[in-house]
């Protein structure tokens, strides 16, 4: 007999994410925090009402793909190109500093007289792997928060998006290097070739699709549903090809698809249609699914101490690393803070990396609990901090923000405000 329990699961998720979203908005926090908390409270970690089924997982995957596609549609591609070098520097610093911080913390705790390890790899590789987990960035949380606040099209928002995409690539490379040391079947050269191949493919396929799609849509007097459907087909194909054939995250393919369509005449029309779909179903399921993944094992006093320090290191290393990278690239102090905070969230990305490492013997099972706690903490704290940090400084689109940034700095000095 067919089971229709997935309908009940969806109803519970949609109701609880909305109720908790409204509750968090009442206390001046983004609604995405409520959606994350809903998944955590409903899942195995607290009430155990729901577990992540294959249906929820797949709907959530479509949800994050659509979310990143919409982010691409809303991105100022000229500003993204202009901030390309800066995004690379920000991403590089945002990888190196957390990598060093995670390694240092693991070096202190990961030893027989502190926390015994059951991983097969050498202690050095295990410690490096903890650092690699901290390099991950889940930009989807930040994107949803910035969209909700209406700040995605600021210069800081563009920098965060660019840096997060590059951060994903650097994270894949770092993970592959360490995994190849523990697993001889993984070859770093092949991975690098695939990454380069993906961007070459995206440039060629994107140019062809853009020309054809632009001519087709501009031939119509108004936006049509068929324009939206073909845009979605292109998004899904790019996401599939990125993950299946090039080993690049599917959200990167979806984001690039959005970028390509953002320059067409119908981009705003398409965006409004996807916003409805995302808000009504896909985004709530995605954010709730993060909480449903959380299972907390029993932990000793040392493990709890490691978890607390891991949370602190996870937050500070992204703020310091990405903020320092932004400062080197000439961003204003308030922008550096925004960029650093926007890169804190680890979300589902860190959980995927951690599960991969556990499977190949790169991480002890004792550290899985602290990693999960760190993921939950950074995922929830990022929207809260973004709400606070965006209250300082110009609250304008890219072009206007550039005009007033210098004035803002001077005024801050005169008022004696911290920069």
């Amino acid at each position: 007999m067919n089971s229709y329990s997935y309908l009940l699961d969806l109803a519970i998720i949609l109701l609880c994410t909305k109720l908790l979203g409204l509750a968090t908005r009442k206390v001046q926090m983004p609604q995405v925090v409520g959606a994350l908390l809903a998944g955590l409270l409903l899942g195995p970690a607290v009430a155990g009402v729901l577990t992540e089924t294959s249906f929820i997982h797949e709907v959530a995957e479509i949800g994050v793909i659509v979310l990143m596609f919409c982010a691409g549609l809303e991105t100022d591609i000229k500003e993204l190109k202009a901030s390309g070098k800066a995004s690379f520097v920000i991403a590089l610093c945002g990888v190196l500093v957390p990598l060093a911080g995670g390694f240092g913390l693991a070096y202190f705790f990961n030893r027989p007289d502190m926390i015994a390890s059951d991983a097969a790899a050498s202690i050095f590789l295990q410690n490096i792997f903890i650092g690699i987990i901290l390099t991950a960035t889940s930009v989807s949380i930040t994107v949803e928060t910035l969209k909700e606040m209406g700040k995605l099209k600021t210069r800081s928002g563009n920098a965060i998006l660019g840096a997060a995409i590059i951060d994903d690539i650097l994270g894949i490379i770092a993970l592959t290097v360490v995994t190849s040391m523990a697993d001889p079947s993984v070859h770093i050269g092949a991975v690098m070739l695939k990454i380069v191949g993906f961007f070459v493919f995206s440039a060629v396929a994107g140019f062809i699709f853009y020309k054809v799609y632009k001519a087709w849509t501009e031939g119509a007097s108004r936006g049509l549903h068929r324009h939206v459907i073909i845009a979605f087909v292109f998004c899904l194909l790019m996401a599939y090809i990125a993950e299946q054939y090039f080993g690049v995250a599917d959200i990167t393919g979806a984001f690039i698809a959005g970028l390509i369509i953002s320059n067409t005449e119908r981009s705003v029309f398409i965006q409004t249609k996807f916003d409805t779909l995302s808000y009504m179903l896909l985004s709530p399921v995605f954010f709730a699914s993060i909480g449903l993944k959380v299972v907390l094992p029993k932990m000793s006093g040392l493990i709890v101490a490691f978890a607390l320090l891991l949370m602190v290191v996870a937050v500070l290393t992204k703020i310091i690393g990405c903020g320092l990278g932004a400062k080197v690239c000439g961003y204003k102090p308030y922008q550096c803070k925004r960029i650093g905070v926007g890169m804190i969230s680890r979300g589902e990305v860190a959980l995927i990396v951690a599960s991969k490492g556990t499977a190949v013997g790169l991480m002890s099972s004792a550290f899985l609990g602290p990693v999960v706690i760190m993921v939950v903490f950074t995922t929830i704290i990022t929207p809260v901090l973004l709400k606070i940090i965006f209250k300082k400084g110009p609250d304008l689109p890219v072009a206007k923000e550039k005009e007033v940034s210098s004035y803002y700095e001077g005024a801050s000095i005169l008022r004696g405000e911290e920069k």
Side-chain angles (χ1 to χ4, degrees):
M1 188 172 72
N2 291 330
S3 172
Y4 295 96
S5 60
Y6 69 92
L7 298 175
L8 179 61
D9 292 348
L10 275 181
I12 293 171
I13 288 172
L14 294 176
L15 179 62
C16 292
T17 52
K18 175 44 64 178
L19 289 177
L20 281 172
L22 292 174
T24 52
R25 190 174 69 175
K26 287 285 185 183
V27 292
Q28 304 300 310
M29 286 196 296
Q31 291 192 59
V32 65
V33 176
L36 293 165
L37 286 173
L40 188 64
L41 294 174
L42 291 170
V46 182
V49 175
L50 297 177
T51 56
E52 190 188 38
T53 63
S54 59
F55 173 77
I56 291 175
H57 173 76
E58 286 160 4
V59 173
E61 190 65 24
I62 298 172
V64 71
I65 286 170
V66 168
L67 181 63
M68 292 308 296
F69 177 65
C70 291
L73 284 173
E74 293 186 48
T75 300
D76 185 331
I77 195 165
K78 292 181 180 178
E79 173 61 23
L80 193 64
K81 287 179 181 178
S83 63
K85 292 180 181 178
S87 294
F88 178 79
V89 174
I90 293 167
L92 185 61
C93 294
V95 166
L96 293 177
V97 175
L99 180 62
F103 175 83
L105 185 64
Y107 179 81
F108 180 78
F109 279 95
N110 190 23
R111 46 188 177 178
D113 58 329
M114 294 286 285
I115 300 174
S117 173
D118 58 4
S122 68
I123 294 295
F124 176 77
L125 287 180
Q126 291 178 46
N127 295 342
I128 285 286
F129 186 75
I130 295 294
I132 287 174
I133 292 174
L134 294 191
T135 66
T137 296
S138 178
V139 70
S140 53
I141 309 297
T142 298
V143 165
E144 181 67 17
T145 305
L146 293 179
K147 282 180 67 178
E148 185 180 327
M149 293 163 54
K151 311 297 189 292
L152 190 59
K153 290 188 177 181
T154 60
R155 193 175 179 218
S156 306
N158 275 298
I160 291 168
L161 277 171
I165 295 298
I166 297 171
D167 184 287
D168 278 346
I169 301 301
L170 294 177
I172 290 170
I173 294 171
L175 177 62
T176 305
V177 170
V178 175
T179 305
S180 64
M181 295 179 181
D183 184 357
S185 66
V186 177
H187 302 289
I188 181 64
V191 172
M192 292 295 295
L193 189 61
K194 282 186 174 183
I195 291 172
V196 173
F198 170 72
F199 286 102
V200 172
F201 168 80
S202 296
V204 175
F207 178 78
I208 295 171
F209 179 83
Y210 169 74
K211 289 295 185 181
V212 174
Y213 188 79
K214 185 172 185 290
W216 178 52
T217 55
E218 288 181 358
S221 58
R222 58 187 176 85
L224 302 171
H225 288 164
R226 70 196 67 165
H227 299 156
V228 182
I229 293 171
I230 296 303
F232 195 21
V233 168
F234 181 60
C235 164
L236 294 175
L237 285 175
M238 286 294 289
Y240 173 77
I241 291 168
E243 189 80 55
Q244 184 70 20
Y245 295 106
F246 295 98
V248 176
D250 51 11
I251 59 173
T252 303
F255 178 76
I256 290 174
L259 276 181
I260 291 165
I261 297 175
S262 68
N263 279 332
T264 65
E265 191 178 284
R266 305 298 178 197
S267 61
V268 175
F269 171 75
I270 293 167
Q271 182 188 320
T272 57
K273 298 298 182 183
F274 276 98
D275 279 345
T276 302
L277 174 65
S278 182
Y279 171 81
M280 185 175 66
L281 173 65
L282 298 178
S283 287
V285 175
F286 166 65
F287 291 115
S289 73
I290 296 175
L292 294 178
K293 285 184 174 73
V294 176
V295 179
L296 296 177
K298 293 181 180 179
M299 298 187 294
S300 65
L302 277 173
I303 294 292
V304 171
F306 176 77
L308 292 173
L309 288 173
L310 188 66
M311 288 189 290
V312 174
V313 170
V315 172
L316 291 182
T317 52
K318 279 293 184 182
I319 293 177
I320 293 170
C322 296
L324 179 63
K327 184 68 176 176
V328 168
C329 295
Y331 283 84
K332 305 299 181 184
Y334 71 92
Q335 292 169 329
C336 295
K337 294 174 187 175
R338 291 176 177 181
I339 292 166
V341 169
M343 298 287 282
I344 289 173
S345 176
R346 302 319 197 273
E348 77 291 350
V349 178
L351 290 176
I352 292 169
V353 173
S355 63
K356 171 70 174 176
T358 305
V360 298
L362 280 167
M363 189 177 78
S364 170
S365 58
F367 292 120
L368 187 58
V371 168
V372 169
I373 292 172
M374 178 274 294
V375 168
V376 173
F377 178 76
T378 57
T379 300
I380 291 174
I381 199 68
T382 299
V384 177
L385 293 179
L386 279 172
K387 182 86 172 182
I388 295 169
I389 208 70
F390 263 85
K391 289 181 179 178
K392 299 181 180 180
D395 186 19
L396 300 167
V398 174
K400 291 293 183 183
E401 187 179 339
K402 286 180 178 177
E403 292 175 12
V404 300
S405 288
S406 298
Y407 171 79
Y408 169 78
E409 265 205 324
S412 298
I413 294 170
L414 291 174
R415 291 195 302 268
E417 292 181 4
E418 181 186 358
K419 297 176 62 180

